[in-house]
């Protein structure tokens, strides 16, 4: 059982790879982005606040996301956790360390997915998602086989995200470099950081992930 963090800017491919790991290894994907998108549809005051922050590309407070993660961790069982989009601040990273310790667990690896900014813009602007099963597509690199229909579940509810626009992406990238990229040094110092080329084809990125998760003994 392995617990890993997928670390990378918006559009790096974290969600795409997390879904493959869930399917192939039975790991549990904990995506704070997905949890917050669910919360915003609740119509509560918290949901409304979260929606405004997300649409603008800013970060939701540490208190809210830590609470969401803690609750999901308690209720989930599987072959290890994939933390997708969490932690995003040093405060969240400290809280995650403490939560894992309290439950007798630890982190195995933090996989940093490196992708150039100009590619991120292309990935985000071409992305669409199945509203039913969550499968992620792209206009050019991963279109559905049949236009308008999800390959996985057959739903025709394909959507673009409200925050996938040029203005919000600029803020999301700034937030990543200011508040999240310090985690690279934080986890490097703990000997947990592994960096992979997120620019490669989806299947090649998955192979690089597998090399991190199942390292071959040196002969
Ligand atoms: P979140 O949902 O986490 O968004 P994000 O981090 O901005 O990441 P994305 O989902 O945009 O990208 P991804 O890396 O998963 O890429 P994907 O696989 O989809 O967060 C949204 C918002 O919620 C935040 O802005 C913030 O407001 C809030 N939030 C979330 N977590 C928070 C936290 N911890 N603290 C505070 N606030 C928080 O791929 C993108 C596209 O590229 C797809 O179309 C895909 O098909 C394509 N693609 C993927 N890989 C490849 C490849 N290798 N080659 C070609 N195309 C590819």
């Amino acid at each position: 059982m392995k617990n890993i963090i997928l670390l990378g800017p918006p559009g790096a491919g974290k969600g795409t790879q997390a879904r493959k790991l869930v399917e192939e290894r039975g790991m549990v994907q904990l995506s704070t982005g997905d949890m917050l998108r669910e919360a915003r549809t609740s119509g509560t005051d918290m949901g409304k606040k979260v929606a405004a922050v997300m649409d603008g590309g800013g970060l939701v407070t540490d208190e809210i996301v830590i609470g969401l993660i803690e609750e999901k961790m308690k209720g989930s069982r599987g072959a290890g956790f994939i933390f997708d989009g969490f932690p995003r601040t040093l405060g969240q990273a400290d809280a995650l360390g403490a939560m894992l310790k309290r439950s007798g667990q630890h982190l195995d690896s933090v996989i940093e997915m490196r992708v150039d900014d100009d590619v991120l813009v292309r990935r985000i602007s071409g992305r669409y998602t199945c509203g039913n099963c969550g499968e992620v597509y792209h206009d050019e690199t991963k279109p559905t086989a049949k236009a308008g229909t999800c390959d996985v579940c057959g739903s025709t509810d394909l959507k673009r995200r409200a925050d996938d626009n040029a203005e919000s992406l600029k803020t999301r990238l700034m937030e990543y470099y200011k508040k999240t990229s310090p985690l690279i040094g934080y986890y490097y110092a703990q000997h947990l950081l592994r960096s992979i080329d997120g620019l490669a084809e989806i299947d090649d990125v998955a192979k690089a992930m597998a090399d991190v998760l199942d390292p071959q003994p040196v002969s």
Side-chain angles (χ1 to χ4, degrees):
M1 195 169 113
K2 295 208 167 156
N3 297 316
I4 62 168
I5 292 174
L6 299 186
L7 185 64
K14 304 180 294 293
T16 300
Q17 295 300 327
R19 288 180 64 81
K20 284 173 95 65
L21 291 170
V22 169
E23 204 177 293
E24 289 161 16
R25 295 175 183 252
M27 295 175 80
V28 176
Q29 177 187 10
L30 296 179
S31 157
T32 39
D34 287 347
M35 292 173 206
L36 289 166
R37 277 183 284 281
E38 204 179 305
R40 65 183 285 169
T41 59
S42 65
T44 58
D45 279 352
M46 190 267 256
K48 283 178 199 149
K49 270 188 214 146
V50 160
V53 175
M54 289 175 86
D55 289 351
L59 289 189
V60 173
T61 63
D62 283 358
E63 195 191 355
I64 291 180
V65 288
I66 291 166
L68 287 171
I69 279 280
E70 196 159 26
E71 202 180 300
K72 284 275 179 191
M73 276 174 74
K74 278 186 197 145
S76 310
R77 290 286 167 271
F81 292 122
I82 308 158
F83 296 98
D84 164 8
F86 178 89
R88 259 173 153 100
T89 63
L90 289 167
Q92 292 177 23
D94 284 340
L96 175 62
M99 279 187 263
L100 287 169
K101 202 169 168 190
R102 275 200 300 276
S103 58
Q105 302 185 74
H106 65 274
L107 270 178
D108 290 277
S109 306
V110 176
I111 305 180
E112 181 206 1
M113 304 176 70
R114 292 195 174 157
V115 179
D116 299 340
D117 287 0
D118 56 333
V119 175
L120 297 174
V121 176
R122 286 206 298 277
R123 285 195 185 170
I124 291 287
S125 45
R127 169 171 53 189
Y128 55 101
T129 310
C130 174
N132 181 46
C133 73
E135 187 66 6
V136 184
Y137 295 98
H138 189 277
D139 291 328
E140 287 154 26
T141 58
K142 194 189 162 191
T144 50
K146 184 177 165 207
T149 306
C150 176
D151 296 351
V152 176
C153 71
S155 166
T156 52
D157 181 22
L158 301 175
K159 303 174 168 170
R160 294 195 192 265
R161 267 168 50 177
D163 58 341
D164 279 352
N165 58 73
E167 201 45 46
S168 158
L169 180 60
K170 219 157 74 185
T171 311
R172 283 157 71 192
L173 275 175
M174 297 260 286
E175 292 284 76
Y176 178 77
Y177 290 118
K178 262 198 297 198
K179 297 178 184 162
T180 308
S181 67
L183 298 182
I184 295 169
Y186 177 94
Y187 286 119
Y188 176 81
Q190 296 179 31
H191 309 290
L192 289 171
L193 189 76
R194 305 287 178 272
S195 298
I196 64 169
D197 177 15
L199 284 168
E201 300 275 318
I202 292 174
D203 287 344
D204 293 327
V205 177
K207 277 191 202 118
M209 294 249 167
D211 289 343
V212 172
L213 287 164
D214 312 312
Q216 297 303 309
V218 184
S219 54

